[in-house]
Amino acid sequence: MRLAAVDAAAARANLSPGQNLSDARALVPELELREIDRAYIGQVFSDFADWHSNASPIVAVHPDVAPYGDLILDITGVTHLFGGEAKMLALLVGRLRALGFAISGAIADTVGAAWALSHFAPNSIVPEGGIEAALAPLPVVGLRLDDAVVAGLNQMGLKTIGQLYGRDRRALQARFGAGLITRLDQALGRIEERITPRIPIAEYYAERRFAEPIGFMDDVLMTARDLAVQLGLTLEAEALGAQTFHLFLYRVDHKVMNLTVNAGRATRDPNHIAQLFVHRSERLEGEYDAGFGIDMIRLAASSVAEVESTQLGAFEVRDGAQDLDRLYDRMTSRLGPLALVRNKFVNSHVPERAVKLEPVIARTVDDPGALPDPDLRRPLRLLPQPEPINVLAEVPDGPPMRMVWRRIAYRILKASGPERIEAEWWRSGRNLEVLLPPQAREERGDPRDDSPKRKQAPAEPEHVSKLEAFDPLTTVRDYYIIEDDGGRRFWIFRIGLYGAAETPRWFLHGFFS
Amino acid sequence: MPGLASHDLEALRRKIAALEKRPLLAEGAALVARRMGKAAPAGPGMADPLELLAAPRGVLHEVFADEQRQSGAALGFTLGLARQLLTDERQAILYLQLKGETQELGLPYGAGLHQFGVDAAQIIIGRVENMTELLWAMEEAIACRAVAGVIADLARHPKALDFTVSRRLSLRAAAAGTSAFLLRYGREREASAAKLRWRISPALSGAVEFDPRAPGPPRFLIEIEKGRLGDKTQGAEGRSMLVDWTENGFASVEPERHVGAPPQRAAPPSRPVAPALGDRLSQAS
């Protein structure tokens, strides 16, 4: 175990990151230690990254090179908003420092160079083309290398990055592996290094900054409406609409809240968008916490699609589809994305699989082959989970006579059935295999022998029972429609057969009207 | 107010509506029309009990079943009413249920809906967390021009559903022309502003041809406990009738033929989508 980071007091006691734990304990017996909490650090850094999207659209958390994390911002084309690179760096570093964090930063053309500089020459800004000179005096650790490689380089007397510049690349690669060359090239900008932004880049957005932080939800929603108007104009200019809208609330204290609403069809109507956010906010219930205030709000659109300008045609069909879609949007934003569903038929004969519930805002195309057979009588209501019942029925296959369901006894007057519904063997995950009868298998070794023996009927029943015993999904159900003496009509089924090893079980699955 | 001429009353209503910046309530308009003597009062001998089953627009119904286990009959009857409200412009019926009561009551099953002449795509199922959300969703859906009917299925007697709320729903329904149905269970009745209250019990079904042991088409015993729709329902309160659900919509069954006799039409509707089904009934009325 090693030390990952030390505080000021520990640094004064000559402890340093990377030191062996036992060595450190020997130096400072009363050393206070805490194990590194990676989950917590990861959480804090994602918050940081989200928050910094108010400075630049592309922000990434650098995967763990250092134990305490690095934040990378692509500031191409945004520095003028802050009054230049120097001012921007000072602002970003300064505001985190004001929150009490120890932080250092640097600006350079490449991710590698910026990393090296921020760790070993903080606050430096490298002008274009000055990378080689700027990196030359820095230690080789700045290239984001493994400890073993760094140790090896140091052993050879290669202490600074500058010493690597003129070396034979092939020799270096042979000695230290391809990683060193890659890192060196990345730092110097000879090969590209990509970063993945945490928040997907929204092409269309509108934002507003506040001189004074705001806190009330009503203010936020009002701003959202204003932004929706702005965004609507932007989208209209390009004949576009969007299905998903994100509202990012940047809090003064490095946190970002995200509200997302979805529309059933692409829209750019500000009133509708604002309405969706109002409903969404009602569902927050205490999750909303403005902290010390919100100083910036951004409304971004994703899932952009083309939307024609609205013009009422002379032959337009008023089928209310648009009204319905809007209703679904409003209800979904308030009640949750899964609250509103519709029945969608699936090509399956198993009752509970034949119909699936699909959210109305994410509708898919209907499968015309999946429509149910109209001649089959199906119940009006189906229980999500079939309930076990006690049934008295004629043996072996007769209709049920009595049933006990939810501790109430029913006398059954009429019944029709059984309708046998088999399980779907193709879903059991087992490939279909040809099971040869035992004799045939024996004879297989001798193909010339086309004796009458082979034509004999194989022992069929054995196979069938074997197959069933193998497959846990093979549950045959026998459905009955029953009517009791009160006129109530139920749909019940039986698993298993009378006379088999196991006594059959009965379940109630649905209600007829 | 016997001294007040009917057109004065109408003028007053219009004035109030203008002041409140709201359209004249359909309910009020109907009242005005009746006061003006457009419809002659019907005697206690009503024309056809089935006429009542042609569902009017913009009315709050209460459909009561005695027990939860009769939920199938209650839903079937309600769909039989609501399906008549579907038009080209109003193509959806919203069914609302509390999330915790799904296993108790069961969910409308797509493959069985066509029996009641409703395309499964026209039923939208909403599962909500609590009564507040349910009532909000009901109002929101009632206000939508493209919704034909809203069905709220309530297994219990929630406190939130009091007279004020039902009055509110009733007014909204009248204003928007969307009918709302409250499916309730039990024998208790609370004060409610619903215009129509039905009590539904399933009845022993008629026989099926060639298979006397099989359950026949759905048969209900319908009792009109409350009817406040003007002349049409005058004298209808307290009446009960026995109806079958057949290919042609509701068909009344003669009480003496009830037990043992074969029904008029035995087979259930045979096609999944039958939008024209039952229109003959509404045309006749």
Side-chain angles (χ1 to χ4, degrees), chain B residues 79 83 201 207 220:
Chain B
L79 284 178
R83 66 164 303 286
S201 351
F220 316 110

Side-chain angles (χ1 to χ4, degrees), chain A residues 275 279 282-283 285 318-321 323-324 327-328 330-332 334-335 338-343 345 350-355 357 360 363 366 371-387 394 399-401 405-406 408-410 412-416 481-491 511-513, chain B residues 67-73 75-77 79 88-92 94-97 99 102-116 120-121 123-128 132-133 136-138 140-141 144-147 153 183 185 202-208 211-220 268-272:
Chain A
Q275 195 68 37
H279 291 321
E282 279 166 18
R283 193 153 54 91
E285 287 174 4
R318 292 192 57 87
D319 57 354
D323 286 334
L324 273 184
L327 176 72
Y328 299 156
R330 285 200 301 277
M331 294 181 96
T332 306
R334 159 101 188 239
L335 305 174
L338 295 176
L340 231 52
V341 291
R342 66 175 192 125
N343 284 301
F345 294 118
V350 179
E352 63 269 20
R353 268 178 49 78
V355 174
L357 298 175
V360 280
R363 13 174 64 168
D366 284 325
L371 278 177
D373 183 354
D375 294 332
L376 292 175
R377 272 185 89 177
R378 288 287 177 263
L380 197 55
R381 287 177 187 260
L382 200 72
L383 286 174
Q385 194 69 43
E387 293 183 8
E394 277 174 35
M401 315 287 285
W405 171 55
R406 291 184 187 169
I408 298 175
Y410 295 81
I412 294 157
L413 295 187
K414 289 181 174 180
S416 80
I481 302 169
I482 58 166
E483 182 180 306
D484 80 338
D485 51 3
R488 292 172 281 260
R489 288 165 277 271
F490 301 104
W491 208 35
F511 312 99
F512 286 88
S513 64
Chain B
E67 293 151 335
Q68 270 181 29
R69 50 195 176 143
Q70 300 174 349
S71 63
L75 182 63
F77 171 76
L79 284 178
D88 287 347
E89 284 172 26
R90 295 175 175 263
Q91 289 204 344
L94 190 75
Y95 170 91
L96 292 166
Q97 192 179 51
K99 249 179 206 166
T102 307
Q103 181 66 31
E104 224 161 310
L105 295 172
L107 272 180
Y109 181 53
L113 290 172
H114 69 82
Q115 285 177 54
F116 281 87
I123 298 269
I124 307 297
I125 300 170
R127 289 177 301 165
V128 297
T132 323
E133 284 188 353
W136 175 85
M138 264 189 103
E140 197 79 2
C144 180
R145 281 176 298 175
V147 172
D153 201 0
L183 254 63
Y185 304 95
L204 288 177
S205 62
V208 183
D211 190 1
R213 294 218 40 163
R219 180 172 289 184
F220 316 110
S270 56
R271 292 294 123 197

Side-chain angles (χ1 to χ4, degrees), chain A residues 434-455:
Chain A
V434 180
L435 284 184
L436 290 170
Q439 308 102 302
R441 232 176 287 152
E442 284 163 21
E443 288 161 12
R444 248 201 159 174
D446 191 8
R448 281 163 299 172
D449 177 25
D450 48 358
S451 62
K453 258 192 236 167
R454 197 180 280 184
K455 283 173 195 161

Side-chain angles (χ1 to χ4, degrees), chain A residues 267-423:
Chain A
T267 179
R268 56 168 178 256
D269 178 2
N271 289 328
H272 186 52
I273 300 169
Q275 195 68 37
L276 293 184
F277 277 113
V278 171
H279 291 321
R280 176 69 183 82
S281 71
E282 279 166 18
R283 193 153 54 91
L284 279 175
E285 287 174 4
E287 285 168 53
Y288 174 74
D289 175 18
F292 293 101
I294 293 160
D295 63 353
M296 186 179 124
I297 294 181
R298 171 183 292 165
L299 177 67
S302 58
S303 316
V304 180
E306 273 185 31
V307 171
E308 300 149 29
S309 332
T310 45
Q311 181 181 354
L312 294 176
F315 302 102
E316 197 194 19
V317 190
R318 292 192 57 87
D319 57 354
Q322 200 172 356
D323 286 334
L324 273 184
D325 279 341
R326 297 225 159 166
L327 176 72
Y328 299 156
D329 291 353
R330 285 200 301 277
M331 294 181 96
T332 306
S333 61
R334 159 101 188 239
L335 305 174
L338 295 176
L340 231 52
V341 291
R342 66 175 192 125
N343 284 301
K344 184 189 156 80
F345 294 118
V346 179
N347 209 344
S348 167
H349 62 272
V350 179
E352 63 269 20
R353 268 178 49 78
V355 174
K356 99 176 176 196
L357 298 175
E358 183 188 64
V360 280
I361 51 160
R363 13 174 64 168
T364 47
V365 185
D366 284 325
D367 176 6
L371 278 177
D373 183 354
D375 294 332
L376 292 175
R377 272 185 89 177
R378 288 287 177 263
L380 197 55
R381 287 177 187 260
L382 200 72
L383 286 174
Q385 194 69 43
E387 293 183 8
I389 48 176
N390 287 324
V391 164
L392 188 70
E394 277 174 35
V395 174
D397 233 2
M401 315 287 285
R402 279 172 186 285
M403 134 179 135
V404 179
W405 171 55
R406 291 184 187 169
R407 288 183 284 176
I408 298 175
Y410 295 81
R411 195 161 65 88
I412 294 157
L413 295 187
K414 289 181 174 180
S416 80
E419 179 192 345
R420 172 155 293 190
I421 296 180
E422 297 250 5

Side-chain angles (χ1 to χ4, degrees), chain B residues 141-165:
Chain B
I142 286 173
C144 180
R145 281 176 298 175
V147 172
V150 187
I151 302 172
D153 201 0
L154 300 166
R156 301 184 206 301
H157 291 263
K159 282 219 179 77
L161 194 70
D162 55 8
F163 182 78
T164 322
V165 166

Side-chain angles (χ1 to χ4, degrees), chain B residues 168-256:
Chain B
R168 197 180 154 102
L169 288 174
S170 177
L171 288 176
R172 290 281 156 108
T178 313
S179 279
F181 301 85
L182 292 168
L183 254 63
R184 314 286 307 277
Y185 304 95
R187 290 205 171 86
E188 290 168 40
R189 303 286 185 266
E190 302 127 358
S192 129
K195 293 277 171 231
L196 283 166
R197 187 192 289 144
W198 309 87
R199 181 173 164 218
I200 305 302
S201 351
L204 288 177
S205 62
V208 183
E209 260 180 283
F210 312 121
D211 190 1
R213 294 218 40 163
R219 180 172 289 184
F220 316 110
L221 183 67
I222 300 170
E223 201 177 312
I224 303 163
E225 290 192 345
K226 180 178 169 189
R228 302 281 156 80
L229 277 183
D231 316 317
K232 229 176 161 186
T233 52
Q234 223 162 34
E237 285 186 23
R239 287 188 56 155
S240 62
M241 51 192 162
L242 199 62
V243 296
D244 262 359
W245 175 260
T246 67
E247 279 184 9
N248 298 329
F250 291 112
S252 86
V253 183
E254 300 298 320
E256 60 265 26

